[in-house]
Amino acid sequence: MDKELENGSPGMKVGRVMTQVFVLISLLQGVRSTTSLNNLNVTNPGQKHPSPPVMLRKVGDNQVVVDNGIIQVSFSSPAGLITGIKYNGFNNVLNDQIENRGLVGEKFNIVNQTSEHVEISFSRTWNISQHSSGAPLNVDKRYIIRSGVSGVYMYAVLERLKGWPDVNMDQTRIVFKLNTTKFDFMAISDGRQKIMPSEADRDIITRRASPLAYKEAVHLINPQNHILKGQVDDKYMYSMENKDNKVHGWISSDQRVGFWMITPSDEFRSCGPIKQDLTSHVGPTILSMFTSVHYAGVDINTIYKSKEPWRKMFGPVFVYLNSASSRNLLWTDAKRQMVSEVQSWPYDFVKSVDYPLHHQRGIVKGRIFVMERYNKTETNIFGKFAFVGLALPGEAGSWQTENKGYQFWTRADRVGMFTIANVRPGKYSLYAWVSGFIGDYKYERDITITPGRVIDVGRIVYEPPRNGPTLWEIGEPDRTAAEFYIPDPDPTLLTKLYLNSSNPQDRFRQYGLWDRYSVLYPRNDLIFTAGVSDYKKDWFYSHVNRKAGKGTYKATTWQIKFNLKAVIQTRIYTLRIALAAATTTDLVVWVNQANSKPLFITGLIGRDNAIARHGIHGLYKLYNIDVHGQLLRVGNNTIFLTHGRNSDSFSGVMYDYLRLEGPSGV
């Protein structure tokens, strides 16, 4: 793990820590190879190759080499950095320079060694009494190489004991940096693949690129590959939700070798299935993100207190190399290998007390329904494709900021049936949410998983927030802003990858879309008329500031106009505002008279940066606002929404869904 931190004396807070678990930004010479696909009929992906036994040897005092006949992996000892992997005639698939940053080991140990399997450990024990340097963590980094398998499995166990100094770990990840002269093509999904610029192409000093307003983004002015000229590169354009982030990587076009990060389970990742994070990007860099504040910000609790003992296992993940005659075959094989790894989870070859095997895990199953009192056709609705999961005990919805424990998620089927398999023993809350309905569900009591136990919770019913009938609504309650109007990008700041994407929701991944608001609304702000306007065309995807010239910005006020045929002035109406994202904003709501006493103020909210990072959603927030009937009138009414911070172009909100309800019983 690679950690960047400011270290304090014992008892003092240890500052920001970026934990790159295996410090894989090291010299990886030919990381493991995958199945050769030059002849697909010879070997099936996911199967072991005929191979010599796995051999382990020490080279001098500071190097360990493991060789299975397909790959040869070299480790620094006892630090535990991968310093070389030879594969298929490729002597060095990584950058030639080792970055000796991170959680390095101090002790080497052979955990298990047979002709079929080698598992090795590089560990470090933090000593509070000796005022040890580095982050206050016990670290055990593990690597597994198996006979006939063209890859390396890796995981880490991190531990903190009670009484150790506070530490803020806002990122925990694995990082590889590949050979800069060989790997030129990146693939993270079927529709998101492209020739990539080099790090040199992003260099502002040499004027190959020019800086853009968001610091990670550059405009390619004079790249070495002229096909890329005029495009924008930004690592956040390649982010992905946890549930979809199973395999991604790089291809060396001339060597016909692929390097892939395969994550067979999300149980050790943080913040649930739709948490977004980085994948691969220019470097060539490939990541396995375990925890981070990306697309969430400080709402995630990344501070580990002195009184809080903690222990967690991250991984295993599988780094896989393959060779084939074309990029398409390389990607196809990588996907098939991913499926094999997912189906093999939990692995039966991991030798750690922190990794329960299949028979040591439990199952939770049931069926979820939605009770919608004002549904015109039926009140008990199948929880179709609901997200249902287990996470540390907390309040409804707390899973999306939960960072320290394990989480287990599944999707219900069309009739609401769900099974959560392979759950680690422990105490959990059962959470759920259903697309098409606002809010979060939490089961009435916590669930304790024991080895081999199957818990059937039976029929569970989610009753989403609802006080009265819908008078009008805007959007779809799906926790994203993808259904709203996403503008065409500035033609001078295009990323061609997303121009012709088969997924229309990829439109939001273009750079600078937030600035298109000032183009579409140069003087007057957005006005939406309920029952007349179309939110797919008339509701801008993000509520942002307007450019006011000379680098300044003006706060914006949107209007929702609606007509009421009758008003009960003695009753309470309800305004529901669900946010898909928020960044340093202060949302202010008025009814029928702007700049009078506000009906509602959120206060300063949000640090998820989803607008600038092309996220279309960050953290979900739901506000339920009482509107007294005296504020409304028969005929025309207006709700004003003001984004009250005018600091920059990146602050603002993305709405998920808005609804006005009449009084209960009407």
Side-chain angles (χ1 to χ4, degrees):
M1 293 185 184
D2 182 24
K3 283 205 169 199
E4 296 175 342
L5 58 96
E6 300 171 8
N7 199 4
S9 59
M12 297 179 63
K13 178 179 179 180
V14 177
R16 180 176 181 268
V17 176
M18 188 188 301
T19 314
Q20 288 169 204
V21 179
F22 295 95
V23 193
L24 296 178
I25 302 185
S26 53
L27 165 66
L28 285 192
Q29 295 178 346
V31 172
R32 65 179 152 336
S33 149
T34 79
T35 307
S36 174
L37 293 181
N38 293 316
N39 186 338
L40 284 172
N41 295 321
V42 174
T43 321
N44 292 323
Q47 293 183 341
K48 296 174 67 177
H49 303 270
S51 178
V54 185
M55 304 294 292
L56 183 151
R57 70 179 188 274
K58 296 198 70 174
V59 179
D61 295 329
N62 58 5
Q63 189 177 37
V64 174
V65 178
V66 181
D67 191 334
N68 70 356
I70 303 171
I71 56 171
Q72 178 181 295
V73 187
S74 299
F75 304 88
S76 63
S77 181
L81 297 152
I82 296 180
T83 57
I85 302 178
K86 294 183 178 180
Y87 162 71
N88 200 39
F90 203 148
N91 285 330
N92 183 5
V93 298
L94 284 197
N95 196 322
D96 287 332
Q97 297 183 358
I98 299 175
E99 294 189 35
N100 191 8
R101 308 183 301 154
L103 295 179
V104 297
E106 297 175 350
K107 179 182 179 182
F108 166 70
N109 183 46
I110 300 173
V111 178
N112 186 39
Q113 182 180 9
T114 70
S115 62
E116 298 288 320
H117 177 108
V118 166
E119 180 170 349
I120 55 178
S121 163
F122 301 91
S123 60
R124 187 203 74 180
T125 301
W126 195 82
N127 192 325
I128 190 171
S129 63
Q130 296 180 3
H131 307 303
S132 298
S133 61
L137 290 167
N138 290 336
V139 180
D140 188 359
K141 301 187 291 185
R142 301 283 189 95
Y143 301 90
I144 300 171
I145 297 175
R146 306 176 68 207
S147 175
V149 177
S150 56
V152 181
Y153 297 89
M154 53 196 71
Y155 66 94
V157 178
L158 304 185
E159 180 185 43
R160 284 176 45 79
L161 302 184
K162 187 175 182 179
W164 287 7
D166 293 355
V167 64
N168 181 7
M169 295 191 293
D170 65 357
Q171 291 194 47
T172 307
R173 63 188 188 177
I174 294 174
V175 183
F176 285 90
K177 193 164 186 179
L178 306 182
N179 188 308
T180 58
T181 64
K182 294 296 183 180
F183 287 90
D184 58 343
F185 189 87
M186 190 180 76
I188 58 179
S189 71
D190 287 340
R192 300 170 71 185
Q193 304 181 15
K194 62 173 291 192
I195 290 285
M196 292 291 287
S198 66
E199 280 195 322
D201 290 335
R202 289 176 50 92
D203 194 339
I204 296 170
I205 296 176
T206 60
R207 298 184 180 180
R208 288 195 175 274
S210 61
L212 293 171
Y214 197 68
K215 62 180 181 179
E216 281 89 356
V218 297
H219 192 199
L220 302 174
I221 302 300
N222 185 30
Q224 298 168 72
N225 187 336
H226 291 291
I227 294 176
L228 301 172
K229 184 176 181 178
Q231 297 191 49
V232 173
D233 181 72
D234 177 357
K235 65 182 180 181
Y236 292 104
M237 289 178 171
Y238 315 115
S239 296
M240 190 177 292
E241 292 179 345
N242 283 343
K243 65 181 176 61
D244 302 320
N245 186 359
K246 299 297 184 186
V247 57
H248 60 89
W250 285 81
I251 290 171
S252 170
S253 297
D254 62 346
Q255 298 283 119
R256 294 293 188 264
V257 166
F259 184 103
W260 310 101
M261 180 65 71
I262 296 177
T263 306
S265 172
D266 291 333
E267 68 179 47
F268 40 80
R269 285 172 166 162
S270 62
C271 305
I274 60 172
K275 166 72 164 66
Q276 297 175 95
D277 227 319
L278 300 172
T279 56
S280 293
H281 57 81
V282 166
T285 300
I286 185 168
L287 299 162
S288 179
M289 300 296 302
F290 297 144
T291 65
S292 83
V293 296
H294 297 144
Y295 303 96
V298 295
D299 287 342
I300 293 180
N301 182 12
T302 60
I303 298 176
Y304 296 74
K305 296 290 188 180
S306 175
K307 295 181 180 180
E308 179 184 11
W310 173 79
R311 183 180 178 97
K312 186 174 179 180
M313 178 175 173
F314 295 96
V317 297
F318 183 46
V319 174
Y320 179 67
L321 266 113
N322 58 359
S323 58
S325 58
S326 71
R327 295 170 183 158
N328 183 60
L329 288 176
L330 287 166
W331 172 244
T332 298
D333 177 59
K335 290 193 297 180
R336 287 185 289 189
Q337 184 68 39
M338 176 271 291
V339 171
S340 176
E341 300 300 327
V342 170
Q343 292 175 344
S344 300
W345 188 273
Y347 298 131
D348 59 6
F349 52 81
V350 178
K351 303 297 183 182
S352 172
V353 295
D354 294 285
Y355 188 75
L357 302 178
H358 177 72
H359 69 278
Q360 297 170 316
R361 295 171 177 243
I363 295 174
V364 175
K365 63 181 183 177
R367 189 176 189 184
I368 184 169
F369 292 82
V370 179
M371 180 183 290
E372 174 56 274
R373 289 183 292 147
Y374 285 86
N375 187 284
K376 295 180 180 179
T377 57
E378 54 184 330
T379 56
N380 285 304
I381 305 165
F382 295 137
K384 180 180 178 181
F385 305 139
F387 286 84
V388 188
L390 297 167
L392 287 183
E395 300 298 321
S398 61
W399 53 268
Q400 70 169 342
T401 57
E402 199 288 298
N403 188 54
K404 299 176 182 178
Y406 300 96
Q407 296 199 21
F408 302 85
W409 288 88
T410 191
R411 297 290 299 270
D413 64 16
R414 290 181 176 273
V415 294
M417 302 290 291
F418 66 88
T419 299
I420 307 173
N422 295 315
V423 182
R424 287 169 168 265
K427 186 177 182 180
Y428 302 91
S429 289
L430 178 67
Y431 303 98
W433 89 91
V434 186
S435 184
F437 302 92
I438 59 174
D440 282 276
Y441 170 83
K442 178 190 172 185
Y443 188 55
E444 58 193 14
R445 57 182 178 273
D446 290 338
I447 292 175
T448 299
I449 301 296
T450 54
R453 186 182 180 191
V454 177
I455 298 175
D456 189 345
V457 298
R459 174 191 174 100
I460 63 175
V461 180
Y462 173 51
E463 186 173 355
R466 168 74 76 172
N467 290 335
T470 298
L471 300 180
W472 55 257
E473 59 185 345
I474 301 172
E476 302 169 10
D478 60 1
R479 298 180 181 241
T480 83
E483 71 269 28
F484 297 126
Y485 178 70
I486 299 174
D488 291 333
D490 182 332
T492 66
L493 297 174
L494 291 175
T495 298
K496 292 183 179 179
L497 174 64
Y498 298 124
L499 283 180
N500 300 309
S501 173
S502 59
N503 183 358
Q505 291 193 4
D506 280 343
R507 284 179 57 87
F508 68 81
R509 299 186 190 278
Q510 295 282 2
Y511 178 84
L513 296 182
W514 51 87
D515 282 339
R516 306 305 284 169
Y517 181 81
S518 297
V519 175
L520 294 170
Y521 301 91
R523 296 180 179 84
N524 300 316
D525 285 321
L526 182 150
I527 298 176
F528 186 94
T529 302
V532 177
S533 301
D534 181 353
Y535 64 77
K536 295 180 180 179
K537 300 177 181 178
D538 303 319
W539 190 272
F540 198 76
Y541 84 103
S542 60
H543 188 169
V544 293
N545 293 312
R546 180 189 295 106
K547 288 184 175 181
K550 298 182 179 180
T552 64
Y553 299 86
K554 182 180 180 180
T556 53
T557 298
W558 290 10
Q559 299 179 44
I560 304 171
K561 293 184 176 294
F562 57 99
N563 186 279
L564 296 178
K565 294 181 179 180
V567 174
I568 305 175
Q569 293 192 339
T570 58
R571 301 292 298 277
I572 300 298
Y573 294 68
T574 305
L575 176 64
R576 314 276 186 190
I577 300 179
L579 299 183
T583 301
T584 56
T585 190
D586 190 348
L587 187 63
V588 185
V589 181
W590 288 275
V591 175
N592 281 331
Q593 189 174 353
N595 301 318
S596 61
K597 181 179 179 181
L599 172 68
F600 176 78
I601 303 175
T602 61
L604 181 61
I605 58 171
R607 290 289 192 276
D608 59 33
N609 250 354
I611 294 172
R613 290 174 172 173
H614 330 290
I616 211 64
H617 73 85
L619 289 183
Y620 177 78
K621 294 178 172 65
L622 176 63
Y623 297 98
N624 305 302
I625 305 166
D626 290 341
V627 182
H628 200 282
Q630 292 179 340
L631 297 175
L632 300 171
R633 54 196 176 216
V634 175
N636 295 327
N637 294 264
T638 304
I639 286 178
F640 300 88
L641 303 171
T642 296
H643 159 42
R645 302 272 169 165
N646 60 357
S647 56
D648 57 41
S649 59
F650 307 125
S651 63
V653 301
M654 295 185 201
Y655 297 97
D656 167 39
Y657 176 74
L658 302 93
R659 182 173 75 209
L660 182 65
E661 299 171 10
S664 61
V666 175

